[in-house]
């Protein structure tokens, strides 16, 4: 995917299959105040940040992200999945050390909205997430590998390909990552049924499907 999966794209999946599969089992969504505090009032439809359907979907668990990829595969007859850990690393190297002029990171707009000084002094115009594709792409033409939303990848906590693990990897930085903290390759391990309003995902299509 050249961009992260948007809220509008996820909405179509939810209407057809996601609600039936996950309604009643949706995770409590964390936010910037504390990753250990969550709320069932926050969902991908109402993430407690200003969003429209052009923004990356957030407040989705790894299980929901993987469910979207499976559904997309079924709908298209092609094989879609989450990025692998190595694929994200490759794109993160292309992204380099972003600033709030090249990626949607915590900045002056963030500082003003959340009454903090943790963001940079430059201003990208977005206190939280932005529409996808608003910032320059990598050399491969991929947008928002750095900033906007962190991304679930198809890997367990130890980096091995995802298969029955309880924790999965989240990669990159988001709209509330300070530009002087970490890098585009930043890694966390998060339980597969946990979500946050700074975590989204993107999908890739297997190249073999072109043959």
């Amino acid at each position: 995917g050249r961009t992260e999966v948007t809220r509008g794209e996820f909405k179509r999946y939810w209407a057809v299959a996601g609600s039936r599969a996950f309604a009643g089992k949706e995770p409590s969504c964390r936010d910037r105040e504390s990753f250990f505090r969550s709320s069932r009032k926050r969902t991908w439809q109402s993430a407690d940040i200003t969003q429209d359907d052009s923004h990356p979907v957030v407040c989705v668990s790894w299980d929901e992200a993987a469910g979207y990829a499976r559904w997309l595969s079924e709908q298209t007859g092609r094989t879609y999945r989450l990025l692998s850990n190595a694929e994200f690393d490759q794109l993160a190297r292309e992204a380099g050390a972003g600033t709030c002029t090249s990626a949607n990171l915590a900045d002056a707009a963030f500082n003003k909205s959340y009454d903090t000084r943790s963001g940079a002094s430059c201003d990208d115009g977005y206190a939280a997430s932005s529409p996808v594709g608003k910032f320059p792409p990598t050399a491969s033409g991929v947008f928002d590998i750095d900033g906007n939303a962190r991304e679930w990848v198809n890997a367990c906590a130890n980096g091995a390909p995802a298969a029955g693990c309880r924790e999965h990897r989240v990669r990159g930085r988001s709209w509330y990552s300070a530009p002087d903290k970490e890098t585009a390759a930043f890694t966390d391990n998060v339980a597969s049924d946990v979500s946050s309003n700074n975590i989204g995902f993107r999908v890739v299509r297997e190249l073999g499907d072109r043959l």
Side-chain angles (χ1 to χ4, degrees):
R2 296 186 67 216
T3 70
E4 294 158 328
V5 172
T6 66
R7 203 176 71 165
E9 290 168 332
F10 195 81
K11 182 188 293 184
R12 291 192 287 275
Y13 156 69
W14 197 256
V16 173
S19 179
R20 183 171 64 252
F22 291 101
K25 298 183 291 184
E26 287 189 79
S28 296
C29 184
R30 276 68 168 167
D31 77 349
R32 57 175 292 278
E33 292 182 356
S34 172
F35 194 76
F36 299 100
R37 294 194 315 184
S38 61
S39 172
R40 291 201 176 277
K41 294 181 180 179
R42 282 189 294 269
T43 67
W44 70 265
Q45 295 151 306
S46 181
D48 205 20
I49 56 176
T50 301
Q51 286 194 308
D52 60 32
D53 284 354
S54 68
H55 288 232
V57 66
V58 294
C59 284
V60 292
S61 66
W62 187 93
D63 292 333
E64 290 171 322
Y68 175 90
R70 287 193 300 271
W71 170 80
L72 190 60
S73 299
E74 292 166 0
Q75 296 300 301
T76 62
R78 297 166 176 167
T79 303
Y80 287 89
R81 57 171 172 76
L82 303 182
L83 278 171
S84 72
N85 203 46
E87 287 164 343
F88 192 95
D89 278 334
Q90 179 181 347
L91 292 169
R93 285 193 292 270
E94 291 183 14
T99 68
C100 61
T101 59
S102 61
N104 181 19
L105 301 166
D107 63 340
F110 173 90
N111 290 345
K112 181 177 180 181
S113 180
Y114 295 104
D115 192 23
T116 181
R117 296 181 180 179
S118 61
S121 59
C122 53
D123 191 344
D124 63 23
Y126 299 98
S129 67
S130 69
V132 299
K134 282 287 184 179
F135 293 82
T138 66
S140 298
V142 175
F143 293 89
D144 295 327
I145 277 292
D146 192 18
N148 220 4
R150 304 192 71 195
E151 299 184 16
W152 289 111
V153 296
N154 197 39
C156 295
N158 62 3
C165 39
R166 298 182 63 181
E167 289 191 342
H168 292 86
R169 285 198 164 176
V170 172
R171 302 299 309 275
R173 300 189 292 182
S174 77
W175 56 267
Y176 72 70
S177 300
D180 62 344
K181 303 292 185 183
E182 286 92 34
T183 68
F186 183 46
T187 300
D188 266 333
N189 297 319
V190 179
S192 60
D193 59 352
V194 166
S195 70
S196 172
N197 64 4
N198 78 326
I199 298 176
F201 68 100
R202 77 178 69 222
V203 294
V204 295
R205 179 162 67 88
E206 295 285 356
L207 293 176
D209 291 333
R210 293 180 179 177
L211 300 178

